[in-house]
Amino acid sequence: MTDTTVTIVVDALGGDDAPTVVLEGVDAALAADSALSIILTGPVEVVESFAAARERVRAVPTTEFIDMAEHPANAVRTKKDSSIVVGCRLVKDGEAAGFFSAGSTGACMAAATLVMGRIPGVSRPAIATVIPASERPSVLLDIGANADVKAENLVQFGLMGRAYAQVVLGVSEPSVALLNIGEEPTKGSMLAQEAHALMVDAVPGFMGNVEGRDIPAGTADVIVTDGFTGNVALKLLEGLAKTLLTQVKDAMTSTPIRTMAAAVLKEPLMELKERINPDVYGGAPLLGVRGVCIIGHGSSNARAVAAGIAVAARAVRGGLTERIATAVGK
Amino acid sequence: MTDTTVTIVVDALGGDDAPTVVLEGVDAALAADSALSIILTGPVEVVESFAAARERVRAVPTTEFIDMAEHPANAVRTKKDSSIVVGCRLVKDGEAAGFFSAGSTGACMAAATLVMGRIPGVSRPAIATVIPASERPSVLLDIGANADVKAENLVQFGLMGRAYAQVVLGVSEPSVALLNIGEEPTKGSMLAQEAHALMVDAVPGFMGNVEGRDIPAGTADVIVTDGFTGNVALKLLEGLAKTLLTQVKDAMTSTPIRTMAAAVLKEPLMELKERINPDVYGGAPLLGVRGVCIIGHGSSNARAVAAGIAVAARAVRGGLTERIATAVGK
């Protein structure tokens, strides 16, 4: 069985090491998926020659660039010929089914929401991420699109996260949990209590509250929270994993004899680092917009870019947008 | 120079392994501090014989016990002769200057607030904890006393956390940061933006926003947040550190040769585990009540109990309550 043909737009300018790692990532993604086509947006001198040398790549030259430091919504409104805005428009116009960028998260979010538009019924799109847990990965959302939310938004995050877990983790009936500071329904903030009461009826697979310790434990397929708490949790997770593994490495190389012993353990420890590396899940989807939109880390390497493109293709093939429309439209 | 004489009340029934580990912890604390006296609250058969055999221990027998599962405020109101309520009353009555329990956090919080009362000017007491960061430790608060807060509460948390950092970390001019999802003052939730604006003027040493990744990095001496976000962050931190170190251990013992190499590295890794062990900072203070109140982890061992008692004594000697009264009363 061959995969369905899918076209993904890739922002050649997205990320700290663009365009080099983006182009390498595109090549890797194409090599891994023979039914994949790419549209590249970016400066003519970057995209034209690259596309000319490849069968399944089309170039759409753009003249503007949105910097990480710019105000996202303003930049999207004024820079209509930027690689991000044009990329989202190609999805809107049906030229491609999904968009990938490792550029400014805020600009991608603003462009996708303004240009592609929201799925009918979705009041607030949310950004999700896959947490590589010890037992099985979890989808965590919102990780920063909405710092202030209402309980109804959290219900929709649960439905959208569920659709994403079905498509990207391949779980047919994902469990959905609410992040809270106690297990009982009456625990936590007023927002969490209200959301719990609504989710019981509105979200299939709802298993109740989980706590902070459950995020890296893989207790639920989907963990729902507001964008403030989710962003703090994600950055804490990334920061601590990095700090701890560095400390382990330092401790293991503090004397020559220890360094020799550590050499024997390099392989399993690299495997572990690999297993908890979020790159393999390829970036963060903006859920709730009309079209697949995957946002990569600014520090993405070629492999992370390839993984992001692959996830975009998987989300398209799995009917992510339609699943969200059906779930939220109910 | 000898330390000032200090009396701390200890709840003999607090914690999963009470009273055994509590009594061992009291002995260790007494051995380490010759100017320390203890009042033990708990069942007569536990406290009387223990006190009779020791010079600096006095027994105050109690007849009731508050379980971890009980509704805290109700339990405190009805069980007036419980080890927790009597312990707090001994502080209120001036028989002791501080209280330590590894029992129910909610019950300790309710008892300390109701019985000792709040420091004039403090609207919401908060629970803090010391995060053992890689560079230098940070005080994080609130970690769960207040799931819903106003910006004014966060300002007071900053002032109270600062007093605690002065006394317990020994930093004379602690830096104070607001936990947020971006560094700029205009980032984050409405609450965070409002709190930032107030803290600039009201909190000495205020350095602005920090993000989730800064919690384990030791970027600020004091990190302020609401009790919902703080609780999620703390439990995530504890959960991830445990998960990661277990994964490192598993990876290192996956074959006989690796296990041999791992044996050479046991010492530095245990040292690391020790360095990031929160036990050394001895439990979580409830800040804002009239008297020192330190709440230990339910899973405290004798060493953690001893550390908690030592921190209570240090907080008393450092004038924690007076410092908070002065800072908040301004």
Side-chain angles (χ1 to χ4, degrees):
Chain A
M1 201 186 90
T2 49
D3 282 326
T4 335
T5 308
V6 169
T7 303
I8 303 295
V9 191
V10 176
D11 167 17
L13 293 180
D16 304 341
D17 300 313
T20 317
V21 298
V22 178
L23 301 180
E24 287 171 15
V26 166
D27 274 336
L30 288 169
D33 182 346
S34 59
L36 174 70
S37 292
I38 298 291
I39 302 180
L40 257 188
T41 58
V44 63
E45 68 275 16
V46 171
V47 299
E48 288 279 5
S49 58
F50 184 85
R54 281 153 186 88
E55 272 192 10
R56 286 177 281 141
V57 181
R58 197 181 120 201
V60 173
T62 52
T63 56
E64 290 176 302
F65 169 60
I66 299 178
D67 196 69
M68 290 295 219
E70 287 180 77
H71 185 284
N74 291 350
V76 165
R77 260 182 237 110
T78 54
K79 295 188 169 174
K80 303 257 185 244
D81 199 40
S82 60
S83 52
I84 290 176
V85 174
V86 171
C88 289
R89 196 174 313 124
L90 287 162
V91 175
K92 161 85 175 170
D93 294 344
E95 306 264 321
F99 172 69
F100 173 83
S101 173
S104 154
T105 302
C108 290
M109 210 170 77
T113 307
L114 286 170
V115 177
M116 298 183 193
R118 284 174 292 160
I119 293 170
V122 171
S123 50
R124 304 280 282 268
I127 301 180
T129 192
V130 176
I131 304 288
S134 51
E135 295 297 323
R136 51 177 191 177
S138 303
V139 172
L140 175 71
L141 79 167
D142 177 22
I143 58 160
N146 310 278
D148 291 294
V149 304
K150 299 204 177 83
E152 299 77 41
N153 303 135
L154 294 175
V155 171
Q156 291 200 340
F157 296 173
L159 297 171
M160 298 195 298
R162 201 165 179 272
Y164 194 69
Q166 288 173 330
V167 167
V168 165
L169 304 183
V171 183
S172 58
E173 293 297 333
S175 56
V176 179
L178 177 68
L179 186 60
N180 203 337
I181 61 172
E183 288 181 8
E184 303 82 356
T186 56
K187 286 274 175 147
S189 59
M190 286 178 293
L191 172 68
Q193 291 180 45
E194 204 187 326
H196 188 289
L198 293 176
M199 291 175 85
V200 167
D201 293 324
V203 179
F206 184 60
M207 57 179 277
N209 294 332
V210 294
E211 299 188 77
R213 69 174 68 90
D214 294 296
I215 298 176
T219 310
D221 295 312
V222 179
I223 300 178
V224 171
T225 189
D226 63 273
F228 187 90
T229 311
N231 189 275
V232 166
L234 179 66
K235 286 179 180 159
L236 172 54
L237 204 63
E238 290 176 348
L240 183 66
K242 204 174 148 188
T243 306
L244 258 188
L245 290 178
T246 305
Q247 288 181 317
V248 166
K249 197 180 156 193
D250 290 349
M252 285 171 62
T253 51
S254 48
T255 69
I257 183 103
R258 285 173 186 170
T259 307
M260 281 170 66
V264 177
L265 297 165
K266 202 177 166 187
E267 195 189 313
L269 288 178
M270 289 306 286
E271 278 168 18
L272 167 61
K273 208 176 163 185
E274 195 51 39
R275 207 159 65 231
I276 62 171
N277 179 357
D279 280 0
V280 295
Y281 297 104
L286 177 68
L287 301 176
V289 291
R290 293 167 101 148
V292 168
C293 173
I294 307 285
I295 307 167
H297 221 280
S299 63
S300 291
N301 57 19
R303 212 182 118 208
V305 170
I309 297 170
V311 162
R314 205 183 319 158
V316 171
R317 288 183 179 124
L320 175 66
T321 311
E322 299 73 23
R323 279 175 195 264
I324 293 176
T326 307
V328 171
K330 261 176 194 163
Chain B
M1 199 185 94
T2 49
D3 282 326
T4 337
T5 308
V6 169
T7 303
I8 304 295
V9 191
V10 176
D11 167 18
L13 293 181
D16 305 340
D17 300 313
T20 317
V21 298
V22 178
L23 300 179
E24 287 170 17
V26 165
D27 274 336
L30 288 168
D33 182 346
S34 60
L36 174 71
S37 291
I38 298 291
I39 303 180
L40 257 188
T41 57
V44 63
E45 68 275 17
V46 171
V47 298
E48 288 279 7
S49 58
F50 184 86
R54 281 154 187 88
E55 271 192 12
R56 288 177 278 142
V57 180
R58 196 182 121 202
V60 173
T62 52
T63 56
E64 290 175 303
F65 169 60
I66 299 179
D67 196 69
M68 291 294 219
E70 286 180 77
H71 184 284
N74 290 350
V76 165
R77 259 182 238 111
T78 54
K79 296 188 168 172
K80 303 254 185 247
D81 200 41
S82 60
S83 52
I84 291 176
V85 174
V86 172
C88 290
R89 196 174 312 125
L90 289 162
V91 175
K92 160 85 175 171
D93 294 344
E95 305 264 321
F99 171 69
F100 173 83
S101 173
S104 155
T105 302
C108 290
M109 209 169 78
T113 308
L114 286 170
V115 177
M116 297 182 195
R118 283 173 293 159
I119 293 171
V122 170
S123 50
R124 305 277 285 269
I127 301 180
T129 190
V130 177
I131 304 288
S134 51
E135 296 298 321
R136 50 180 192 177
S138 304
V139 172
L140 175 72
L141 78 165
D142 177 23
I143 57 159
N146 309 279
D148 291 293
V149 303
K150 298 204 179 82
E152 298 78 42
N153 303 135
L154 294 175
V155 171
Q156 291 201 340
F157 296 174
L159 297 170
M160 298 195 297
R162 202 165 177 272
Y164 193 69
Q166 288 172 330
V167 167
V168 166
L169 305 183
V171 184
S172 58
E173 293 298 334
S175 57
V176 179
L178 177 67
L179 185 60
N180 203 338
I181 62 171
E183 288 181 9
E184 303 83 356
T186 55
K187 287 273 175 149
S189 61
M190 288 179 292
L191 172 69
Q193 291 180 45
E194 202 186 328
H196 188 287
L198 294 175
M199 292 174 85
V200 167
D201 293 324
V203 180
F206 183 60
M207 56 178 278
N209 294 331
V210 293
E211 300 188 76
R213 68 173 70 90
D214 295 297
I215 299 175
T219 310
D221 295 312
V222 179
I223 299 179
V224 171
T225 191
D226 62 274
F228 188 89
T229 311
N231 188 275
V232 166
L234 178 66
K235 286 179 181 160
L236 173 53
L237 204 63
E238 290 176 347
L240 183 66
K242 203 173 149 190
T243 306
L244 258 188
L245 290 177
T246 305
Q247 287 180 318
V248 166
K249 196 178 157 195
D250 290 348
M252 286 171 60
T253 51
S254 47
T255 69
I257 183 102
R258 287 173 183 170
T259 306
M260 281 169 65
V264 177
L265 297 165
K266 200 176 169 187
E267 196 188 313
L269 289 177
M270 289 306 287
E271 278 168 20
L272 168 62
K273 206 175 164 183
E274 194 54 37
R275 207 159 65 232
I276 61 171
N277 179 357
D279 279 1
V280 294
Y281 298 103
L286 177 67
L287 301 176
V289 292
R290 294 169 99 148
V292 169
C293 172
I294 306 284
I295 307 167
H297 220 280
S299 61
S300 292
N301 56 19
R303 212 183 119 206
V305 170
I309 296 169
V311 162
R314 205 182 320 157
V316 170
R317 289 184 178 124
L320 175 66
T321 310
E322 298 73 23
R323 281 176 194 263
I324 293 177
T326 307
V328 171
K330 262 178 193 161

